[in-house]
Amino acid sequence: MAKVLEGLYYSESHEYVRVEGEYGFIGITDYAQNALGNVVYVDMPDVDDEVTAGEEFGAVESVKAASDLMSPVTGVVVEVNEALDDQPELINQDAYANWIIKVTINDKAELDNLMDAKAYAQFCEK
């Protein structure tokens, strides 16, 4: 069973957002990293790029497949996780500790469109 953390918001495309104040830390879920297998590359946007809820902002490549990253919220990238440039496998080690981008969240009401931990766990069981 994939690990699902309480207190995060989850999308149907298996990204999560951890909200801290006005910021959102976006990454892929444990379920997603498990399905992908060994992550070998993470394509991230640049700082100051805008991301839009439901739209692609990058990709994760594994030995098995490449998967587009879809932003769960709209905002502006304020930081990228540069550790993933050299060590993309960190996502496999702990998908929740190794977020991909940090954004300012334009509209927190968008969070209402995402699932909580319980709903996401049920979604993954389907």
Side-chain angles (χ1 to χ4, degrees):
M1 177 68 200
K3 186 166 67 168
V4 178
L5 298 187
E6 291 290 334
L8 303 181
Y9 297 90
Y10 297 89
S11 69
E12 289 188 2
S13 53
H14 304 287
E15 287 85 14
Y16 68 82
V17 58
R18 182 179 80 237
V19 177
E20 292 183 10
E22 66 184 297
Y23 298 108
F25 293 83
I26 299 172
I28 65 169
T29 65
D30 189 54
Y31 180 92
Q33 73 78 20
N34 198 35
L36 279 167
N38 294 331
V39 174
V40 294
Y41 178 72
V42 183
D43 179 29
M44 297 178 276
D46 295 320
V47 170
D48 293 332
D49 281 1
E50 291 186 20
V51 295
T52 304
E55 293 188 11
E56 180 186 335
F57 71 83
V60 174
E61 293 178 23
S62 72
V63 290
K64 288 197 275 189
S67 181
D68 289 338
L69 294 166
M70 308 301 278
S71 185
V73 293
T74 300
V76 176
V77 178
V78 292
E79 192 176 339
V80 297
N81 188 346
E82 293 179 2
L84 299 177
D85 285 337
D86 296 324
Q87 295 179 286
E89 68 277 5
L90 289 170
I91 288 176
N92 295 118
Q93 293 167 18
D94 189 337
Y96 298 115
N98 294 288
W99 49 272
I100 297 172
I101 60 172
K102 176 181 175 183
V103 301
T104 53
I105 300 174
N106 288 359
D107 183 4
K108 286 201 174 169
E110 288 179 339
L111 297 170
D112 296 339
N113 300 327
L114 301 171
M115 293 176 273
D116 64 11
K118 184 178 176 191
Y120 181 69
Q122 290 171 339
F123 176 77
C124 290
E125 286 171 14
K126 291 180 181 156

